[in-house]
Amino acid sequence: MTGLHYLKQQAEKPLSIDEPFLLTINKGQFSNSILKQLQQQSLVDDTLGLKVMLKVMPELAKVKAGTYELIPGMNGIDVFQLIASGKEKQFALTLVEGLRWQDWKQQITHHPYIHVGEDFNDNIQAFTQDIEGQSLEGWLMPDTYHFVAGTKAFTIVKWAYNEMRKELDLQWQNRYQNLPYATPYEALIMASIIEKETAKAQERSRISGVFVNRLRLNMRLQTDPTVIYGIKDFDGDIRRKDLRQATPYNTYVIKGLTPTPIAMPSKLAIHAALNPLATDELYFVSKGDGSHHFSQTLQEHNRAVRQYQLKR
């Protein structure tokens, strides 16, 4: 066996890992530094073979900074091929519909591979000055976002905003006519209320129809999720006094829509807001199982309240 062949065999020994391992290469690192890092992290026993292979295959020494995922079965040459390709590990963050901006902010800023930066809050404040409502509430699209390590938190926020802006504009162009919304933003507010009112996809357009009917008749929306949004430090129990408390979000007190959305709505909720079911219904009440009973008259609604709410 020639010396070169032996060193190649050494370079092709599998890494000492039995599960995926994240390797971070910093800007300015060269191949010798990476070899030392591999040895210090006990990924390889001996780096001589790899040093020689990097001389034989100099293209592997053109490494790119980033965080890479090493998997069992890979060898040292595979590692350098990976970090020379620049194919960094893609992380995923799922931002769920129905949650508030404060919940999303917590997720985004506490992800271990997202870079927050000292200017994050300043950037958010400046950004919101130029959008309707001057708040990010409702303006970010629920989805799974993929990114590489070190991506800025503000960058992910802008991705989600742009996706929502694009979706809202598209759906606004294809809306039912003669809806009681003056702007796409008002439709976004309604979509957020619909999102919080039901977990049943098949009920969204029906609930939208009820709310549209109430707006047209200048009736108050009288929806609990808006009241809850206006309560600071809500403890999970809505009380009669809360329904009487005057806040900009108490739709038992105010007429029309709330000043801003109350959560991040899904595409389906936006579609429901802009494509309500044609109905004569004006009321609905929770059955306690996630679904609702719908009524056309107050008399029928009161019976349903006694049946589904008061008995509990």
Side-chain angles (χ1 to χ4, degrees):
M1 180 184 296
T2 65
L4 182 60
H5 184 67
Y6 171 76
L7 291 171
K8 184 172 182 294
Q9 278 190 333
Q10 291 297 107
E12 291 176 344
K13 278 187 176 181
L15 301 176
S16 300
I17 56 173
D18 54 13
E19 60 184 25
F21 182 91
L22 294 180
L23 177 70
T24 297
I25 307 301
N26 298 315
K27 287 183 178 180
Q29 265 193 279
F30 295 102
S31 56
N32 283 340
S33 171
I34 295 170
L35 287 170
K36 185 177 180 180
Q37 182 178 346
L38 293 175
Q39 196 167 33
Q40 288 176 338
Q41 293 179 312
S42 301
L43 299 174
V44 298
D45 297 326
D46 191 335
T47 61
L48 180 59
L50 279 171
K51 285 181 180 178
V52 172
M53 289 302 103
L54 289 171
K55 295 289 186 182
V56 175
M57 297 182 285
E59 67 276 8
L60 298 185
K62 297 177 181 178
V63 298
K64 298 177 176 65
T67 296
Y68 299 88
E69 184 175 48
L70 312 184
I71 58 176
M74 290 181 69
N75 59 45
I77 294 177
D78 295 329
V79 171
F80 277 92
Q81 286 177 332
L82 178 63
I83 58 182
S85 73
K87 294 178 180 178
E88 293 185 60
K89 162 72 174 176
Q90 291 285 319
F91 296 91
L93 177 66
T94 299
L95 300 172
V96 180
E97 64 272 10
L99 297 182
R100 303 178 180 186
W101 160 237
Q102 64 186 25
D103 303 315
W104 281 32
K105 182 180 178 181
Q106 183 82 359
Q107 276 188 268
I108 293 170
T109 58
H110 284 76
H111 193 287
Y113 288 97
I114 293 176
H115 177 67
V116 178
E118 294 181 359
D119 58 351
F120 175 74
N121 288 324
D122 289 340
N123 286 335
I124 292 296
Q125 186 175 6
F127 187 67
T128 54
Q129 294 303 307
D130 296 325
I131 63 177
E132 288 172 277
Q134 296 190 333
S135 167
L136 283 173
E137 200 72 89
W139 270 122
L140 307 181
M141 176 60 72
D143 205 346
T144 297
Y145 294 89
H146 295 89
F147 56 93
V148 298
T151 297
K152 290 185 176 181
F154 185 57
T155 297
I156 294 175
V157 169
K158 287 192 293 184
W159 288 346
Y161 171 80
N162 290 336
E163 287 301 307
M164 180 60 83
R165 178 87 264 180
K166 183 169 59 177
E167 182 67 23
L168 183 61
D169 289 345
L170 176 64
Q171 293 211 36
W172 179 258
Q173 296 302 318
N174 295 289
R175 70 190 184 281
Y176 282 10
Q177 296 303 305
N178 302 316
L179 293 174
Y181 315 130
T183 65
Y185 187 59
E186 290 188 357
L188 187 69
I189 294 172
M190 177 61 82
S192 74
I193 298 173
I194 294 168
E195 188 70 65
K196 295 298 289 184
E197 270 290 1
T198 184
K200 301 283 186 182
Q202 65 272 23
E203 285 191 347
R204 288 192 180 106
S205 63
R206 194 173 181 181
I207 284 177
S208 178
V210 171
F211 284 147
V212 164
N213 288 343
R214 294 181 75 91
L215 287 177
R216 284 174 173 156
L217 293 171
N218 202 30
M219 295 174 68
R220 294 180 178 89
L221 293 182
Q222 295 184 318
T223 170
D224 290 358
T226 64
V227 178
I228 291 169
Y229 186 86
I231 299 173
K232 185 178 181 181
D233 301 323
F234 180 63
D235 64 6
D237 186 14
I238 192 166
R239 302 169 178 84
R240 287 185 180 274
K241 68 175 184 177
D242 296 324
L243 301 181
R244 295 191 295 266
Q245 180 70 34
T247 78
Y249 292 89
N250 187 347
T251 53
Y252 286 85
V253 175
I254 67 167
K255 287 187 177 180
L257 295 167
T258 52
T260 70
I262 61 171
M264 307 298 181
S266 62
K267 292 180 182 180
L268 292 176
I270 297 171
H271 184 268
L274 292 169
N275 299 270
L277 181 70
T279 177
D280 293 325
E281 294 161 342
L282 291 171
Y283 308 92
F284 58 86
V285 63
S286 172
K287 293 181 180 180
D289 62 358
S291 65
H292 295 82
H293 178 91
F294 294 80
S295 305
Q296 293 183 19
T297 67
L298 181 58
Q299 184 180 18
E300 181 188 354
H301 175 65
N302 287 337
R303 285 199 302 268
V305 170
R306 288 193 294 272
Q307 178 181 356
Y308 295 110
Q309 294 288 314
L310 298 185
K311 73 177 184 181
R312 292 190 289 152

